[in-house]
Amino acid sequence: MHTLLESNQYVRCVLIDFSKAFDTVDHVILARKLFCLETPVFITQWIMSFLTDRNQATKLGFHLSSTLPINRSIIQRSAIGPTVFIMFAYDRKPLDILNLLVKYADDTTLLSPQNSKTSVELEMAHIANWASEYKMTSNLLKTVNIVFHRPNVPHDLLSSIMHSVSRVAVAKLLGVHLRHDLNFSQHVKSVVATCKQRLYLFAQLKNKVLV
């Protein structure tokens, strides 16, 4: 981020949310992508064997539905889940080489500097097309836009507000609170508050033990 701001007055950042990303991975599409990545056949077979022949049913009170096979999902909290999702999303790339698409498991962040010739709106449309092609859905209600900028940048120089995506002054990414001015005071306050809470709980447990 700091590197981008060295040559740009501002950088637009979009934290993209995909609805139930792990749960909507299509097994047929995944197998095809593993083949395109030239994954060793035995590894592909092992992954697909792990994902297939799983069934689910719904229970409400004393009523239990019939079971149906699961043909989507890569099993959340499984050891291979994040890695398999990364392989599934390997071909999700930006249109412009100046724009960056940072992917960490199912978290996707788009960075578009001021000097980029491709607008964020076009990049978002491109990502939406990718999601539609591979049977995924981007959740615009949880997707947010934050504009990082240098100090004292005129307000009218900053890019326009995106339609359908909320602009925020602070966004949380992988547990870190990011401010538009890259001031980490809010994140520090959050960490200190969490530490105080944990210490208070430890103190309560200690008192219980002593009693």
Side-chain angles (χ1 to χ4, degrees):
M1 181 62 65
H2 286 86
T3 302
L4 290 175
L5 287 175
E6 288 179 0
S7 54
N8 296 270
Q9 294 278 13
Y10 63 83
V11 176
R12 296 179 73 178
C13 172
V14 184
L15 283 69
I16 305 168
D17 181 84
F18 288 96
S19 299
K20 299 185 179 298
F22 276 53
D23 295 335
T24 53
V25 172
D26 185 275
H27 294 170
V28 174
I29 296 174
L30 173 62
R32 188 167 70 241
K33 289 196 172 193
L34 292 174
F35 176 79
C36 292
L37 284 170
E38 298 183 356
T39 307
V41 175
F42 74 93
I43 292 181
T44 300
Q45 291 176 338
W46 180 80
I47 291 174
M48 300 314 298
S49 175
F50 174 73
L51 296 176
T52 54
D53 294 329
R54 292 178 178 270
N55 299 287
Q56 67 177 13
T58 301
K59 185 176 182 181
L60 179 61
F62 296 102
H63 301 283
L64 181 66
S65 71
S66 58
T67 59
L68 289 174
I70 300 175
N71 56 12
R72 300 176 76 174
S73 169
I74 50 175
I75 319 300
Q76 285 205 54
R77 299 180 180 85
S78 64
I80 68 169
T83 301
V84 171
F85 189 86
I86 290 171
M87 298 171 78
F88 182 84
Y90 82 95
D91 57 350
R92 189 172 67 225
K93 300 176 181 178
L95 294 168
D96 196 315
I97 59 173
L98 293 180
N99 293 332
L100 299 177
L101 203 59
V102 183
K103 295 175 285 187
Y104 183 85
D106 60 334
D107 288 307
T108 302
T109 305
L110 172 66
L111 297 174
S112 180
Q114 176 189 12
N115 295 333
S116 172
K117 296 181 180 180
T118 303
S119 68
V120 172
E121 288 75 13
L122 284 177
E123 291 284 8
M124 289 296 292
H126 175 63
I127 292 171
N129 289 336
W130 178 92
S132 177
E133 180 179 358
Y134 297 118
K135 301 181 181 180
M136 304 196 76
T137 305
S138 53
N139 186 354
L140 295 180
L141 293 177
K142 291 186 177 180
T143 297
V144 296
N145 168 38
I146 183 170
V147 182
F148 299 105
H149 58 82
R150 295 185 186 180
N152 304 319
V153 174
H155 183 74
D156 57 356
L157 181 62
L158 298 179
S159 55
S160 59
I161 297 176
M162 293 178 62
H163 297 295
S164 304
V165 176
S166 301
R167 177 185 287 188
V168 296
V170 182
K172 192 174 183 179
L173 177 62
L174 300 177
V176 179
H177 292 83
L178 301 173
R179 283 174 51 93
H180 63 92
D181 56 2
L182 295 180
N183 185 310
F184 283 89
S185 59
Q186 184 158 344
H187 180 68
V188 172
K189 289 180 181 178
S190 175
V191 173
V192 171
T194 300
C195 290
K196 286 182 178 179
Q197 183 184 47
R198 299 294 188 272
L199 289 173
Y200 173 78
L201 293 175
F202 280 131
Q204 294 299 309
L205 289 173
K206 181 180 179 181
N207 292 334
K208 292 290 184 181
V209 172
L210 291 177
V211 172

